[in-house]
Amino acid sequence: MKRRFIPIVVLLPLLFLYSCNQWLDVKPSSEMEREDLYNTADGFKTSLAGCYIKMQQSMLYGQSMTMTIVEYLAQHWVTESEELGTLLDFDWKSDHAKSVTGAIWSNMYGMINQLNDLLIQLDKKGDKVLPEKEMRYLVKGEALALRAFCHFDILRLFGPSPISPDKSSLTLPYSEISGKDERPYYSYDVYCEKIWTDLREAERLLGEVDPVLQYTFTELNDPGTMLKSGKLMDDFQSYRRIRFNYWAVKAFEARVALYLGDKEAAYKYATEVIDARVQGKPVGDLSAANSDFSKGYYTLPSETLFALNSYDLQDEIQVLFRESRTV
């Protein structure tokens, strides 16, 4: 693959992948009996963990949505591959373009389906299986935020541009049910409002229970100490930086507002994150001030609000990104 050399950080401005934390190393719900899965608190946690795992697959944020397909569509790479060249040329009728975009579409909605299953079961059984509000709100808030996140990327990839004069003529399915039933399609405005509905509810729920409002990311990366001191009731409340936490929701609200053209709202949400302090310390800090680059931390952890684990990312990068010496 021939390419222009661009630092990986450019490819992953908000959602970067790195390797840490053992709790995500669990089986997704598809490998367990559905009827048994949601009969325990651990079952709900496992299902949510499975959704994060699904996000890491190659046709989603493990590759296509971060390093390959969308980067070709953005004209960031050059290639001698005829198939990949169809993406650079926006040749949507080609077999390759149909294949990769179809895979993204189906995998996105597959993950949303699992999120919906979790949310439906949580509404049915949550009060009994997860009686502690701290855990129930945490699981539901993250699931709603993830559902909004995925639908937003579907809108960006398959929907009309916000400035398109005929954007109201296109419809997209906003999935809020599980199973194989056909999803209803909604107009552009209704679809966008549903994204906001999920985000506002996620913000409300996480705003009541998320440990990031009381403790720093550094503290939450040490669950042993936090549990021993009684500051956390469950290690599921730890490692919030690699989960869709409250501050990630606020930052994502800024991103959605800016994309949809509401600059005033985008500024408001972004400022909330920038000015946020926990125990007198900023929630996020500029990587330049923390010398991330000089330390070799090219994913800029100081600025990260949400990330995914990818245990084999290094191997994938070595195969995908090789600096070419040819012209």
Side-chain angles (χ1 to χ4, degrees), residues 281-309:
K281 300 177 182 178
V283 170
D285 202 1
L286 293 177
S287 293
N290 280 280
S291 305
D292 279 348
F293 279 115
S294 63
K295 296 175 183 176
Y297 302 158
Y298 298 125
T299 48
L300 308 184
S302 298
E303 299 180 7
T304 298
L305 297 174
F306 170 43
L308 292 175
N309 283 327

Side-chain angles (χ1 to χ4, degrees), residues 7 48 66 75 77 88 109 116 119 128 133 141 153 168 178 185 194 205 225 239 242 273 275 290 306 319:
L48 181 59
T66 52
Q75 310 292 304
W77 305 126
L88 292 171
Y109 279 108
N116 289 339
L119 288 165
K128 294 180 179 180
K133 184 177 77 170
D153 269 350
S168 60
S178 64
Y185 279 64
K194 285 186 171 292
L205 294 169
T225 299
Y239 295 107
I242 57 170
V273 178
D275 293 341
N290 280 280
F306 170 43
V319 173

Side-chain angles (χ1 to χ4, degrees), residues 69 81-87 91 93-102:
I69 304 305
S81 166
E82 183 176 345
E83 285 189 335
L84 292 172
T86 63
L87 300 177
D91 182 5
K93 295 182 179 181
S94 70
D95 290 340
H96 183 68
K98 290 179 180 179
S99 174
V100 295
T101 56

Side-chain angles (χ1 to χ4, degrees), residues 15 50 78 136 248 284:
L15 188 153
V78 292
R136 189 170 67 255

Side-chain angles (χ1 to χ4, degrees), residues 21-81:
N21 190 20
Q22 297 297 316
W23 79 269
L24 278 175
D25 189 17
V26 296
K27 294 180 180 180
S29 63
S30 59
E31 299 177 24
M32 303 178 67
E33 291 294 334
R34 179 180 176 276
E35 293 182 0
D36 296 333
L37 178 67
Y38 297 112
N39 286 334
T40 65
D42 284 343
F44 279 98
K45 298 173 189 176
T46 297
S47 181
L48 181 59
C51 293
Y52 284 109
I53 292 171
K54 283 179 180 290
M55 292 181 76
Q56 299 168 29
Q57 58 191 328
S58 61
M59 286 312 302
L60 294 179
Y61 299 94
Q63 279 190 31
S64 296
M65 297 293 293
T66 52
M67 298 181 286
T68 54
I69 304 305
V70 295
E71 293 301 303
Y72 280 109
L73 296 177
Q75 310 292 304
H76 286 164
W77 305 126
V78 292
T79 181
E80 295 176 342
S81 166

